Amino acid sequence: MMSERFAELSPSEFFYRNKELAGYTNPSRSLYSSFRELLENSLDACELHRITPDIYVRLSLEEKKSDTTGIYRLRVQDNGSGVPGKEVLKAFGRVFYSSKYVFRQSRGTFGLGGTMALLYGQITTNIPIRVVTSIGKERIFSYRFLIDIEKNLPNVVERHSHPNKNRWRGTIVEVALLGNYPRISHMMIAYLKQTAAVAPYAEFKFADPSGRLFFFRRTTREVPKPPRVAKPHPHGVDVEALKKLIRDADPGMTMLQFLCDRFHRVGVRTARKFLRFANVEFDTPVGELEMKQIMQLSERMQNFSSFLPPNPDILSPIGRKIFEEGIIKEYEPDFLRVVIRPSSSYLGHSFVIESALGYGGKIPGDAGDIRLYRYANKIPLLFDEGSDVSLKIVNGINWGYYKRPMDGPVAFFVHLCSTRIPFRSLGKEFIADVPEVEREIKASVRELLRSLSTFTRRIEKRKGLTRRLELYRRYLPKIAEFSTKLAGREEEPDIGPLLRKVKKRHAK
Ligand SMILES: Nc1ncnc2c1ncn2[C@@H]1O[C@H](COP(=O)(O)OP(=O)(O)OP(=O)(O)O)[C@@H](O)[C@H]1O
Ligand SMILES: [Mg+2]
């Protein structure tokens, strides 16, 4: 029997071999994924620092490969935080290097997206990636590099740094990649439109390969308060995470101090109560805990019901005003209602569901259509709708209970914002049906439907009155004429007051 050869894979090589996992399946979908990953990085770089985003995306065709595919140059420029000089190569040239591995709400989570876009570009064109960035201080850094896939390290082709006289701050990322724009353009534009609907404070310009410029103007300068980094909540900590927290702590720290200092929402009273529940002395030094005790502690943490829920203040929801503003800006609906649910939590992560329902106006679709726009931490999710928890809820609506106007399409907007989105794939396209999340979405959808029913009743009533008014207008003069003749009178009665009375009711 032949002996097996064993080898190790670097993270870059793993994703190089399994690009599909991160949403890089074919030239059109890969172009879309690259575009959105770079854009999301830009938005994070602005919003996490409360900067009003100005984002400019340019896509140009460099070389035609077939009727629809070609080598494209994708360039994304932002006015975000910029990347410190010493971090640039690691942030962009390594898979699993991120500033977002903390308990904080952000679009990025994996430390993979942007780098994968660059990696995909490299493997389809072998053209070095270009990054220009500055944090607004003395120097601007500019790099051209390839990624050494085997070593998961950048291979620098060119590097410069020059004085930053105007104190420019931001990042430009440029990548050449194999793509199919004609096939995916509608999705890229939909992505921008749906992003603009939840970020009316951002300005997007997109110059496409055919010379069209898509411009999404901002209508407000109000950027939501940025999310805050939180400590881990005890309900979200498993044995491994607990071991790491213990390793990072001073071994002489007492268990009481450790719990109060290293966990989210654990004060002295809760910590004491928990330690009694877990049968651990308050002053046990963390360094003296044995493996068996750590395992027991972790299990007890999950079962202790008196921890306070995570604080929703650390989140950065869209907020009613901005949400309404964005939807009105992009879709001008005839009816709009936004519902913000109270915050809730799952596995130690707080989350908030913000939902909206729009009807008519410029919502795309035919009369009677029902659309669903899904968002996770302000990212529009355009693919794999069929597997998403929100679709399950919207499809499950019993329209027998609710009324809806049938003259235009109805759109649901469901936004989940959380320190951790339960994505079911690295491509970040759909949300798993976590029971707590499902319950909140359901509750918000019900509330929206109740408002829609009230609105529908109101317009039906109005329609009925309009019809009646029309009838009166048409027949009352005739009735007045005949009855005058019948009564043998000369003068017809004045029907004006009667019509005015009906009209007044109609206006209510
Ligand atoms: N435009 C940008 N401005 C500032 N920093 C950026 C920008 N793009 C990337 N970065 C930095 O590079 C890091 C890596 O980006 P990458 O997209 O690979 O991962 P991520 O955004 O952390 O997670 P995800 O895989 O979910 O996108 C980011 O965490 C961020 O610190
Ligand atoms: Mg990212």
Side-chain angles (χ1 to χ4, degrees), residues 239-269:
V239 185
E240 278 311 309
L242 186 60
K243 276 197 317 206
K244 183 166 177 344
L245 285 167
I246 291 175
R247 255 197 327 269
D248 293 345
D250 171 0
M253 199 179 215
T254 68
M255 274 309 290
L256 191 65
Q257 285 168 332
F258 174 68
L259 285 171
C260 297
D261 195 61
R262 301 296 153 108
F263 289 91
H264 183 53
R265 305 229 55 200
V266 181
V268 180
R269 262 183 42 201

Coordinates of all heavy atoms in Angstrom, one line a residue, residues 239-269:
V239 N -15.4 27.1 26.3 CA -14.2 26.7 27.0 C -13.0 27.4 26.4 O -12.1 27.9 27.1 CB -14.0 25.2 27.0 CG1 -12.9 24.8 27.9 CG2 -15.3 24.5 27.5
E240 N -12.9 27.3 25.1 CA -11.6 27.9 24.5 C -11.5 29.3 24.7 O -10.4 29.8 25.0 CB -11.7 27.6 22.9 CG -11.3 26.2 22.5 CD -10.0 25.7 23.2 OE1 -9.0 26.5 23.1 OE2 -10.0 24.7 23.8
A241 N -12.6 30.1 24.6 CA -12.6 31.5 24.8 C -12.2 31.8 26.2 O -11.4 32.7 26.5 CB -13.9 32.1 24.4
L242 N -12.7 31.0 27.1 CA -12.5 31.2 28.6 C -11.0 30.9 28.8 O -10.3 31.7 29.6 CB -13.4 30.3 29.4 CG -13.3 30.4 30.9 CD1 -13.7 31.9 31.3 CD2 -14.2 29.4 31.6
K243 N -10.5 29.9 28.2 CA -9.0 29.6 28.4 C -8.2 30.7 27.9 O -7.2 31.1 28.6 CB -8.7 28.3 27.6 CG -9.0 27.0 28.4 CD -8.3 25.8 27.9 CE -8.3 25.5 26.5 NZ -8.2 24.1 26.0
K244 N -8.5 31.3 26.8 CA -7.8 32.5 26.3 C -7.8 33.7 27.2 O -6.8 34.3 27.5 CB -8.2 32.8 24.9 CG -7.4 33.9 24.3 CD -7.6 34.1 22.8 CE -6.9 35.2 22.2 NZ -6.3 36.2 23.0
L245 N -9.0 33.9 27.7 CA -9.2 35.1 28.7 C -8.4 34.9 29.9 O -7.7 35.8 30.4 CB -10.7 35.2 29.0 CG -11.6 35.8 28.0 CD1 -13.0 35.6 28.3 CD2 -11.3 37.3 27.8
I246 N -8.3 33.6 30.4 CA -7.5 33.3 31.6 C -6.0 33.5 31.3 O -5.3 34.0 32.1 CB -7.9 31.9 32.1 CG1 -9.3 31.9 32.6 CG2 -6.9 31.4 33.1 CD1 -9.8 30.5 33.1
R247 N -5.6 33.0 30.1 CA -4.2 33.1 29.7 C -3.8 34.5 29.7 O -2.7 34.9 30.0 CB -4.0 32.5 28.3 CG -3.4 31.1 28.3 CD -2.8 30.7 27.0 NE -3.5 31.1 25.8 CZ -4.5 30.4 25.2 NH1 -4.9 29.2 25.7 NH2 -5.1 30.8 24.1
D248 N -4.7 35.4 29.1 CA -4.3 36.8 29.0 C -4.4 37.6 30.3 O -3.9 38.7 30.4 CB -5.3 37.5 28.0 CG -5.2 37.0 26.6 OD1 -4.1 36.3 26.3 OD2 -6.1 37.2 25.8
A249 N -5.0 37.0 31.3 CA -5.1 37.7 32.6 C -3.8 37.5 33.5 O -3.1 36.5 33.3 CB -6.3 37.2 33.3
D250 N -3.7 38.4 34.4 CA -2.6 38.2 35.4 C -2.9 37.0 36.3 O -4.0 37.0 36.8 CB -2.5 39.5 36.2 CG -1.6 39.5 37.4 OD1 -1.0 38.4 37.6 OD2 -1.5 40.5 38.1
P251 N -2.0 36.0 36.4 CA -2.4 34.8 37.1 C -2.8 35.0 38.5 O -3.5 34.2 39.1 CB -1.1 33.9 37.0 CG -0.2 34.6 36.1 CD -0.6 36.0 35.9
G252 N -2.3 36.1 39.1 CA -2.6 36.4 40.5 C -4.0 37.1 40.7 O -4.5 37.2 41.8
M253 N -4.6 37.4 39.6 CA -5.9 38.1 39.7 C -7.0 37.2 40.3 O -7.0 36.0 40.0 CB -6.4 38.4 38.3 CG -7.4 39.4 38.1 SD -7.6 39.6 36.3 CE -7.9 41.3 36.1
T254 N -7.8 37.7 41.2 CA -8.8 36.8 41.9 C -9.9 36.6 40.9 O -10.2 37.4 40.0 CB -9.4 37.4 43.1 OG1 -10.2 38.5 42.8 CG2 -8.3 37.8 44.1
M255 N -10.7 35.5 41.1 CA -11.8 35.2 40.2 C -12.8 36.3 40.2 O -13.4 36.6 39.2 CB -12.5 33.9 40.7 CG -11.8 32.6 40.1 SD -11.6 32.7 38.4 CE -13.3 32.6 37.8
L256 N -13.0 37.0 41.4 CA -14.0 38.0 41.5 C -13.5 39.2 40.6 O -14.3 39.7 39.8 CB -14.1 38.5 42.9 CG -15.2 39.4 43.2 CD1 -16.6 38.8 43.0 CD2 -15.2 40.0 44.7
Q257 N -12.2 39.6 40.7 CA -11.7 40.6 39.8 C -11.8 40.3 38.4 O -12.2 41.1 37.5 CB -10.2 40.9 40.2 CG -10.0 41.6 41.5 CD -8.5 41.6 41.8 OE1 -7.8 40.7 41.5 NE2 -8.1 42.6 42.6
F258 N -11.4 39.0 38.1 CA -11.4 38.5 36.7 C -12.8 38.7 36.1 O -12.9 39.2 34.9 CB -10.9 37.1 36.7 CG -11.0 36.4 35.4 CD1 -10.2 36.8 34.3 CD2 -11.9 35.4 35.1 CE1 -10.2 36.1 33.1 CE2 -12.0 34.7 33.9 CZ -11.1 35.1 32.9
L259 N -13.8 38.3 36.8 CA -15.2 38.3 36.2 C -15.6 39.8 36.0 O -16.2 40.1 34.9 CB -16.1 37.6 37.1 CG -16.1 36.1 37.1 CD1 -16.9 35.5 38.2 CD2 -16.6 35.6 35.7
C260 N -15.3 40.6 37.0 CA -15.8 42.0 36.9 C -15.0 42.7 35.8 O -15.5 43.6 35.1 CB -15.6 42.8 38.2 SG -16.5 42.1 39.5
D261 N -13.7 42.4 35.6 CA -12.8 43.1 34.7 C -12.9 42.7 33.3 O -12.7 43.5 32.4 CB -11.4 43.0 35.3 CG -10.5 44.0 34.7 OD1 -10.7 45.2 34.9 OD2 -9.5 43.6 34.0
R262 N -13.1 41.4 33.1 CA -12.9 40.9 31.7 C -14.2 40.6 31.0 O -14.2 40.2 29.8 CB -12.1 39.6 31.7 CG -10.7 39.8 32.3 CD -9.9 40.8 31.4 NE -8.9 41.5 32.1 CZ -7.6 41.3 32.0 NH1 -7.2 40.3 31.2 NH2 -6.8 42.0 32.7
F263 N -15.4 40.8 31.6 CA -16.6 40.4 31.0 C -17.6 41.6 30.9 O -17.6 42.5 31.7 CB -17.3 39.3 31.8 CG -16.6 37.9 31.6 CD1 -15.6 37.6 32.5 CD2 -16.9 37.1 30.5 CE1 -14.9 36.4 32.3 CE2 -16.2 35.9 30.4 CZ -15.2 35.5 31.3
H264 N -18.4 41.5 29.9 CA -19.4 42.5 29.6 C -20.6 42.4 30.6 O -21.1 41.3 30.7 CB -19.9 42.3 28.2 CG -20.9 43.3 27.7 ND1 -20.7 44.7 27.8 CD2 -22.1 43.2 27.1 CE1 -21.7 45.3 27.3 NE2 -22.6 44.4 26.9
R265 N -20.9 43.4 31.2 CA -22.1 43.5 32.1 C -22.0 42.6 33.4 O -23.0 42.1 33.9 CB -23.4 43.3 31.4 CG -23.5 44.2 30.2 CD -24.8 44.9 30.1 NE -25.4 45.7 31.0 CZ -26.7 46.0 31.0 NH1 -27.4 45.5 30.1 NH2 -27.2 46.8 32.0
V266 N -20.8 42.4 33.9 CA -20.7 41.7 35.1 C -20.1 42.6 36.2 O -19.0 43.0 36.1 CB -19.7 40.4 35.0 CG1 -19.7 39.6 36.3 CG2 -20.3 39.5 33.9
G267 N -20.9 42.9 37.1 CA -20.5 43.8 38.3 C -20.2 42.9 39.5 O -20.4 41.7 39.4
V268 N -19.8 43.5 40.6 CA -19.4 42.8 41.8 C -20.6 41.9 42.3 O -20.3 40.7 42.6 CB -19.0 43.7 42.9 CG1 -18.5 42.9 44.1 CG2 -17.8 44.6 42.4
R269 N -21.8 42.4 42.3 CA -22.9 41.6 42.8 C -23.2 40.4 42.0 O -23.3 39.3 42.5 CB -24.2 42.5 42.9 CG -24.3 43.0 44.3 CD -25.5 43.8 44.6 NE -26.7 43.3 44.0 CZ -27.8 44.1 43.7 NH1 -27.8 45.3 44.0 NH2 -28.9 43.6 43.2

